[in-house]
C-alpha cells in the first residue's frame, strides 16, 4: 500500500514540506556515508532555511501548540493526555528558547553562504570553484556528520514542534473504505475543519490520486503513473482505496 497526503490548509502544507525536508536531511547524514550524500544534505539544509524563514511560521506553530494544550486539558483520557501535554510543553519551550531569527547562525557563516550561492550555479561547487569545500568533502565521515549536526541543531526545535503537531493531526483521524468507479470518486462534503486528507491505495494499481476538496465537495480522480508526464491519463477501472480524514479539532484521547 502507498499513502498520499493532501493538505487542506496552507498551514498544514507548510508543516508537511518542512517535515519532508528535515526527514530527508536526517536520512542523508545518517544512512549514507559518501561525500555526495553530505552534499545533498547541505542542499537540503539550505532548502530548510528558505522554507521555514517566514516570520509568521513560528507564531503559527506556537498558536497551534497553545490551542492543542487547551484541548488536551479537557480530555477525558488522563494518562495519555498528561503525556501529550508534556510533549506540547517541551516543544513550545524549545521553540521559545530560540531568540534569533530562524537560521540566523547559518546566515552569519560566510563559508556556508558562499556555498549556498555556488549551489545555484550548475557545477558551481566543483573543486576549482570552491577548493575549501572540496577539502571539507575529503574529511572523514564522522567529522562531516558532526558539522552537519551542529549546523542543524538550532533549527531542530521548529522540527520537533511540527512533528508533535503532525502526530496529533494524523492520530485525530477516521477512515472510510471507498471505491472510485471508473477512476472517479465524489463526496458531497467533508466533516467540518478537516485539515488533511490521506488516500491509501495498493501499489499494484499503479495510480496516484488527484484531489479537489473544500468544505462543500470532494472529488478524487485516479491517474495512471507515468514516468514521462507529471500527470498520466485518468484510469477507467474501479479503484478500491481508503480515505483518512484528519483534523486538529477533534477531541484528543
Amino acid at each position: 500500500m502507498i499513502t498520499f497526503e493532501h493538505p487542506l490548509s496552507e498551514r498544514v502544507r507548510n508543516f508537511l514540506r518542512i517535515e519532508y525536508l528535515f526527514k530527508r536531511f536526517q536520512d542523508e547524514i545518517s544512512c549514507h556515508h559518501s561525500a555526495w550524500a553530505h552534499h545533498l544534505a547541505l542542499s537540503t539544509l539550505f532548502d530548510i532555511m528558505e522554507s521555514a524563514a517566514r516570520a509568521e511560521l513560528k507564531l503559527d506553530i506556537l498558536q497551534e501548540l497553545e490551542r492543542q494544550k487547551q484541548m488536551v486539558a479537557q480530555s477525558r483520557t488522563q494518562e495519555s493526555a498528561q503525556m501529550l501535554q508534556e510533549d506540547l510543553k517541551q516543544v513550545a519551550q524549545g521553540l521559545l528558547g530560540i531568540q534569533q531569527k530562524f537560521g540566523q547562525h547559518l546566515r552569519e557563516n560566510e563559508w556556508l553562504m558562499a556555498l549556498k550561492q555556488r549551489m545555484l550555479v550548475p557545477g558551481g561547487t566543483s573543486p576549482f570553484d570552491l577548493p575549501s569545500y572540496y577539502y571539507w568533502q575529503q574529511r572523514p565521515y564522522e567529522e562531516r556528520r558532526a558539522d552537519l549536526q551542529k549546523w542543524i541543531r538550532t533549527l531542530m526545535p521548529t522540527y520537533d514542534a511540527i512533528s508533535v503537531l503532525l502526530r496529533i493531526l494524523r492520530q485525530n483521524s477516521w477512515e472510510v473504505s471507498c471505491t472510485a468507479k471508473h477512476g472517479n470518486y465524489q463526496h458531497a462534503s467533508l466533516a467540518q475543519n478537516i485539515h488533511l486528507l490521506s488516500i491509501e491505495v495498493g501499489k499494484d494499481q499503479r495510480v496516484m490520486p488527484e484531489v479537489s476538496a473544500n468544505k462543500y465537495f470532494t472529488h478524487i480522480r485516479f491517474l495512471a503513473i507515468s514516468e514521462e508526464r507529471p500527470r498520466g491519463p485518468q484510469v477507467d477501472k474501479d479503484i478500491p482505496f481508503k480515505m483518512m480524514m484528519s483534523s486538529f479539532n477533534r477531541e484528543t484521547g
Side-chain angles (χ1 to χ4, degrees):
M1 303 297 284
I2 184 170
T3 301
F4 297 87
E5 292 186 323
H6 182 80
L8 297 179
S9 70
E10 189 63 25
R11 176 177 291 187
V12 174
R13 189 174 292 112
N14 288 330
F15 289 176
L16 290 175
R17 284 175 178 154
I18 293 168
E19 177 194 51
Y20 161 76
L21 288 170
F22 272 97
K23 284 185 173 181
R24 193 173 81 185
F25 178 89
Q26 295 296 344
D27 181 76
E28 288 160 351
I29 70 169
S30 301
C31 301
H32 310 282
H33 288 207
S34 74
W36 296 118
H38 286 178
H39 176 82
L40 294 175
L42 278 166
S43 177
T44 302
L45 178 67
F46 298 143
D47 285 346
I48 291 171
M49 285 176 57
E50 296 302 320
S51 65
R54 294 185 307 109
E56 60 268 27
L57 176 66
K58 183 176 180 179
L59 180 60
D60 284 348
I61 297 172
L62 289 170
Q63 286 177 341
E64 192 60 51
L65 289 172
E66 182 58 34
R67 215 163 61 84
Q68 290 303 318
K69 283 194 288 186
Q70 294 175 7
M71 293 177 67
V72 171
Q74 302 170 8
S75 172
R76 291 189 293 269
T77 310
Q78 291 303 314
E79 184 176 352
S80 62
Q82 288 177 0
M83 294 174 61
L84 182 52
Q85 190 83 298
E86 185 60 29
D87 287 344
L88 290 165
K89 179 182 176 181
Q90 287 184 1
V91 295
Q93 288 177 342
L95 199 57
L96 288 168
I98 304 299
Q99 299 299 322
Q100 61 184 1
K101 182 180 178 182
F102 185 87
Q104 185 60 34
H105 68 296
L106 300 178
R107 292 182 175 85
E108 292 172 355
N109 186 316
E110 293 183 10
W111 185 81
L112 283 175
M113 291 303 94
L115 177 58
K116 182 175 182 289
Q117 289 301 313
R118 293 304 302 175
M119 280 189 173
L120 300 175
V121 179
T125 58
S126 59
F128 64 85
D129 281 307
L130 283 178
S132 65
Y133 179 53
Y134 174 64
Y135 180 85
W136 183 84
Q137 290 179 302
Q138 307 313 307
R139 291 168 59 192
Y141 159 77
E142 292 79 8
E143 293 182 13
R144 285 186 273 112
R145 187 170 186 266
D147 282 341
L148 289 162
Q149 289 176 323
K150 176 183 67 177
W151 292 327
I152 198 73
R153 190 169 297 127
T154 62
L155 309 184
M156 289 304 294
T158 297
Y159 173 61
D160 293 338
I162 286 175
S163 293
V164 170
L165 290 175
L166 288 178
R167 188 181 79 212
I168 291 170
L169 178 61
R170 289 171 176 134
Q171 289 176 347
N172 287 349
S173 64
W174 55 102
E175 181 182 293
V176 181
S177 295
C178 310
T179 299
K181 298 292 185 180
H182 301 288
N184 261 301
Y185 175 83
Q186 296 184 1
H187 190 72
S189 65
L190 294 174
Q192 288 188 346
N193 298 314
I194 300 299
H195 299 101
L196 179 69
L197 277 182
S198 300
I199 310 299
E200 185 181 86
V201 63
K203 291 183 181 179
D204 58 333
Q205 298 285 352
R206 288 190 55 80
V207 295
M208 65 179 190
E210 185 176 71
V211 180
S212 302
N214 55 44
K215 63 182 179 180
Y216 303 111
F217 186 75
T218 302
H219 183 199
I220 302 172
R221 62 180 67 84
F222 285 91
L223 309 179
I225 294 295
S226 171
E227 285 76 36
E228 298 179 355
R229 294 179 292 172
R231 297 174 69 256
Q234 181 175 319
V235 299
D236 190 27
K237 63 178 180 178
D238 292 354
I239 304 292
F241 69 98
K242 292 181 180 178
M243 180 169 63
M244 285 74 75
M245 295 168 281
S246 304
S247 172
F248 281 123
N249 297 323
R250 291 186 70 198
E251 182 182 8
T252 304

